[in-house]
Amino acid sequence: MQEASAIKAEFARAFGDGGRVHVIRAPGRVNLIGEHTDYNDGFVCPMAIEAEVRVVCRARQDGAVRLASTAFPGEIAEFSVEKKIEKGKPAWTNYIRGVAAELVGAGIPLTGMDALIDNTLPVGGGLSSSAAIEVGTGLAFLTLAGVEMDRDRLALICQKAEHEFAGVPVGIMDQMIVATGRQGFATQYDCRSGARQFVKINPDDLRVVIVNSLVKHELTGGEYAKRRKQCEEGVAYFQKLSPGAGIRALRDVTMKMIHEAQGKLEALILRRCRHVVSENQRTIEAATALAQDKYERAGKLMQESHASLRDDYEVSCAELDFLSVEAMTVKGVYGARMTGGGFGGCIVALTQPRSVEVLEAHLVRVYQVKFGRKPTAFATSATAGASVVE
Ligand code: GLA
């Protein structure tokens, strides 16, 4: 991350001096537990992290949106909020085109803008750089238009942008936590009712360490959408079995129903459903355990979550499995698991503060020996959701 003054200078180089310039920050996120549950009306427990996207922006009166990125110096992409907004190139601008299109569709009168985007989140690293770009530029558009918007509504608009313009049928977790995270807390979130419980992450007792396998996860590859469809097949089975039970999503299915479906429901669909149903239980229990400082219990549930994602949901990979097993060989580590959509990206570990450095050094060393690449490892505190910095 560049200093605010450095990115503002870069903004001036790209777009010229003068006018009122705003700086917006939108954090990435790490999910402690509750994976692939959000689109099943279930529970998640993410927190916003220190790595973030910054958007430096200034209004334009001609409706043009001109976009630059510190990752691609010298390139400027352009579209207009006064014409129908469509997908375009380069691909990263589609997140912003999508957010603009959805805001216009929601009746918000947008002005054009010059915007420079700076990102310290690894792209494709499973820490929601796309949600951070969406929420950050959404907040930039709203700020320049002088419009206040409820953060949950902004999150929904950004989610829709991702569906329509990036083509990935994501749930609400990422956009929700990027838009509404609370400093010092993880958020246990009920994706059906929108109810929140804040779980204190006190850095004196507990540290959150993220290790990036550097395996790029590609949710657009179709596996994510496939999992969603398999869950829907599961729902259809349970609905047919108990028409009066009011089953709307896997959220409404119990472990008892899963056991009873053994040998009747197709084995693969059953395993997908078993992951979601058990993960919802683990998430509620882990959030409670964390709130009561029962870190060993929370860590154990994270281990179980990883195993379920690996064996039943099949969204892990050899690198993530290796990192989560190796993390547990370090004294003082409570739990570790893959985080985010999977197929690469990061693991998250909960650890005693005094074990942070040993853990990071150990994982970097053994991973390099095994896979020949040096992963990035860092500790983070829980930060606040997106905000206007100046
Ligand atoms: C991605 C999606 C989220 C969620 C996770 C898996 O990050 O954007 O909505 O489904 O995968 O938990």
Side-chain angles (χ1 to χ4, degrees):
M1 172 66 44
Q2 305 190 28
E3 289 299 314
S5 57
I7 359 174
K8 278 168 77 180
E10 194 153 341
F11 175 87
R13 270 197 298 282
F15 297 112
D17 279 320
R20 174 97 199 269
V21 173
H22 295 270
V23 181
I24 317 280
R25 58 167 278 281
R29 68 97 185 90
V30 69
N31 188 20
L32 300 183
I33 192 162
E35 218 67 83
H36 288 279
T37 46
D38 60 352
Y39 51 84
N40 289 300
D41 273 7
F43 297 88
V44 294
C45 192
M47 63 181 221
I49 62 174
E50 287 163 33
E52 63 187 17
V53 163
R54 289 220 171 197
V55 184
V56 186
C57 61
R58 180 176 61 207
R60 293 179 64 95
Q61 301 315 318
D62 62 357
V65 176
R66 302 182 74 223
L67 301 168
S69 159
T70 54
F72 309 102
E75 280 180 28
I76 292 187
E78 185 168 337
F79 67 92
S80 169
V81 291
E82 287 169 6
K83 296 189 195 129
K84 186 170 176 347
I85 302 169
E86 313 218 305
K87 283 190 210 169
K89 286 201 170 124
W92 64 269
T93 63
N94 282 324
Y95 297 115
I96 302 139
R97 292 171 199 265
V99 169
E102 297 304 331
L103 285 169
V104 170
I108 311 291
L110 297 189
T111 62
M113 71 173 174
D114 288 330
L116 172 70
I117 293 167
D118 184 45
N119 189 357
T120 51
L121 285 157
V123 172
L127 300 177
S128 280
S129 66
S130 53
I133 289 176
E134 289 153 8
V135 174
T137 50
L139 197 53
F141 278 121
L142 291 171
T143 305
L144 298 178
V147 175
E148 293 268 344
M149 183 183 278
D150 173 75
R151 286 304 176 86
D152 287 323
R153 184 168 175 222
L154 175 60
L156 282 168
I157 282 177
C158 291
Q159 180 196 23
K160 193 144 177 267
E162 183 132 352
H163 289 181
E164 305 292 330
F165 277 68
V168 191
V170 292
I172 191 61
M173 169 170 72
D174 303 347
Q175 290 77 10
M176 178 282 296
I177 193 69
V178 171
T180 70
R182 182 184 280 193
Q183 187 172 1
F185 294 83
T187 303
Q188 193 225 58
Y189 186 76
D190 179 336
C191 298
R192 172 173 281 168
S193 72
R196 289 177 166 79
Q197 281 183 38
F198 296 103
V199 180
K200 182 134 191 68
I201 306 291
N202 182 351
D204 294 336
D205 295 343
L206 188 66
R207 301 303 303 271
V208 177
V209 171
I210 295 170
V211 184
N212 187 351
S213 69
L214 304 180
V215 178
K216 279 222 171 173
H217 87 146
E218 260 298 354
L219 294 184
T220 42
E223 286 298 325
Y224 187 91
K226 223 191 250 174
R227 294 298 180 287
R228 274 199 86 145
K229 278 205 72 204
Q230 290 163 343
C231 290
E232 280 159 23
E233 275 183 51
V235 173
Y237 169 84
F238 288 108
Q239 280 173 336
K240 212 161 148 218
L241 199 68
S242 334
I247 294 167
R248 286 192 279 143
L250 286 181
R251 155 73 170 269
D252 306 309
V253 172
T254 62
M255 276 314 273
K256 184 163 174 272
M257 295 163 90
I258 295 282
H259 293 315
E260 286 167 1
Q262 219 128 26
K264 297 178 199 142
L265 175 59
E266 187 194 326
L268 180 104
I269 304 296
L270 182 75
R271 283 195 285 122
R272 303 296 191 248
C273 296
R274 185 166 61 195
H275 165 71
V276 175
V277 175
S278 62
E279 184 78 351
N280 276 332
Q281 287 187 354
R282 282 188 289 272
T283 305
I284 296 170
E285 205 199 320
T288 308
L290 282 175
Q292 297 171 346
D293 300 343
K294 292 181 181 157
Y295 303 135
E296 266 100 15
R297 181 65 195 143
K300 175 102 197 320
L301 291 160
M302 287 172 77
Q303 295 296 113
E304 288 174 20
S305 167
H306 184 90
S308 176
L309 288 157
R310 181 192 61 211
D311 302 336
D312 276 354
Y313 219 63
E314 292 179 282
V315 290
S316 188
C317 61
E319 291 84 349
L320 296 174
D321 294 344
F322 178 81
L323 285 170
S324 58
V325 167
E326 280 298 325
M328 295 314 291
T329 65
V330 176
K331 199 163 165 267
V333 175
Y334 296 117
R337 56 181 285 278
M338 55 155 278
T339 185
F343 307 105
C346 296
I347 66 146
V348 58
L350 291 186
T351 173
Q352 291 177 4
R354 61 177 176 186
S355 302
V356 168
E357 277 166 28
V358 182
L359 173 64
E360 290 179 357
H362 174 73
L363 291 182
V364 168
R365 189 173 53 76
V366 292
Y367 190 86
Q368 215 172 351
V369 169
K370 171 116 179 139
F371 294 104
R373 301 176 78 185
K374 190 172 177 199
T376 41
F378 55 95
T380 181
S381 61
T383 65
S387 58
V388 181
V389 180
E390 56 177 88

